[in-house]
């Protein structure tokens, strides 16, 4: 039996380079081009076309990261921020609103969940593998205290199981049976 949820794909991010490396006090490297996209191409077992982790052997089980926009809402409240945080700054590939994605990751002896996202071009399946832990850069690019506030809710790292496309906007997330 499948569980379905109406979600919104808030942001799609392709990062051609790793902008958050080195010391946070030195600031991020400049991005070579636009980061947020309206549409992304997904390739089974490889990741998102154009992303720095696409077809990298070391990242095959973690090529795509998915994040819940509600986690940023929580950080804004906890840190009493006066302005909204930009979801593209967490550098997760897919930012969703409407589903608790952190629960999809593999936990002690349990495989990660299989789920699909369909934003109108057909469903694309993913297997969640491990949590996408935040880094100290979050204190620099989001707000002081964001690194600690995001612990345990930094999203999940996944492998795509299908080729397809995703678009920003309304979508359906379907939690699939284990054997999918």
């Amino acid at each position: 039996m499948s569980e379905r949820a109406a979600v919104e794909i808030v942001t799609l991010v392709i990062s051609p380079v790793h902008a958050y490396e080195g010391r946070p006090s030195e600031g991020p490297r400049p991005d070579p081009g636009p980061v947020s996209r309206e549409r992304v191409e997904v390739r089974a077992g490889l990741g998102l076309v154009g992303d720095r982790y696409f077809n990298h052997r070391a990242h095959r089980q973690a090529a795509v990261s998915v994040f819940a926009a509600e986690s940023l809402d929580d950080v804004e409240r906890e840190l009493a921020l006066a302005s909204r945080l930009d979801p593209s700054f967490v550098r997760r590939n897919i930012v969703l609103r409407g589903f608790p994605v952190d629960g999809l990751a593999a936990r002690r002896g349990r495989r990660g969940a299989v789920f699909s996202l369909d934003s109108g071009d057909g469903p694309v399946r993913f297997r969640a593998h491990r949590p996408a832990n935040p880094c100290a850069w979050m204190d620099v690019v989001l707000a002081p205290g964001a690194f600690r506030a995001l612990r345990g809710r930094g999203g999940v790292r996944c492998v795509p199981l299908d080729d397809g496309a995703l678009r920003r906007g309304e979508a359906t997330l379907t939690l699939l049976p284990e054997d999918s």
Side-chain angles (χ1 to χ4, degrees):
M1 179 153 190
S2 302
E3 175 187 336
R4 289 178 179 246
V7 298
E8 176 189 4
I9 298 177
V10 176
T11 302
L12 293 167
V13 173
I14 298 291
S15 299
V17 297
H18 191 17
Y20 300 160
E21 60 184 20
R23 291 185 172 94
S25 63
E26 296 170 1
R29 291 187 344 186
D31 282 322
V35 173
S36 187
R37 304 283 170 91
E38 289 296 317
R39 181 178 185 275
V40 295
E41 293 289 327
V42 182
R43 295 291 176 257
L46 301 175
L48 303 183
V49 175
D51 191 70
R52 68 189 181 277
Y53 293 130
F54 183 79
N55 197 24
H56 281 214
R57 238 174 96 199
H59 296 283
R60 289 264 167 84
Q61 301 299 308
V64 177
S65 53
V66 182
F67 181 80
E70 291 85 355
S71 293
L72 283 184
D73 298 342
D74 293 341
V75 170
E76 289 167 4
R77 277 191 301 279
E78 289 173 22
L79 300 179
L81 300 177
S83 59
R84 303 289 304 190
L85 296 173
D86 183 338
S88 66
F89 286 176
V90 295
R91 306 290 280 207
R92 300 299 187 244
N93 299 118
I94 303 168
V95 179
L96 299 177
R97 182 171 296 285
F99 193 85
V101 300
D102 292 297
L104 298 172
R107 305 272 192 244
R108 295 183 189 184
R110 170 175 87 82
R111 289 171 47 149
V114 175
F115 64 96
S116 70
L117 285 170
D118 187 346
S119 60
D121 292 319
V124 179
R125 293 176 307 139
F126 296 87
R127 177 173 296 279
H129 280 279
R130 60 183 172 87
N133 298 317
C135 67
W137 278 99
M138 297 300 100
D139 284 350
V140 174
V141 298
L142 290 176
F147 169 53
R148 180 170 291 204
L150 282 169
R151 286 186 186 161
R153 51 184 171 197
V156 294
R157 298 200 180 277
C158 307
V159 62
L161 303 176
D162 300 312
D163 288 350
L166 294 173
R167 298 175 187 276
R168 285 184 44 191
E170 294 180 4
T172 301
L173 183 146
T174 305
L175 193 54
L176 300 166
E178 183 69 25
D179 57 353
S180 296

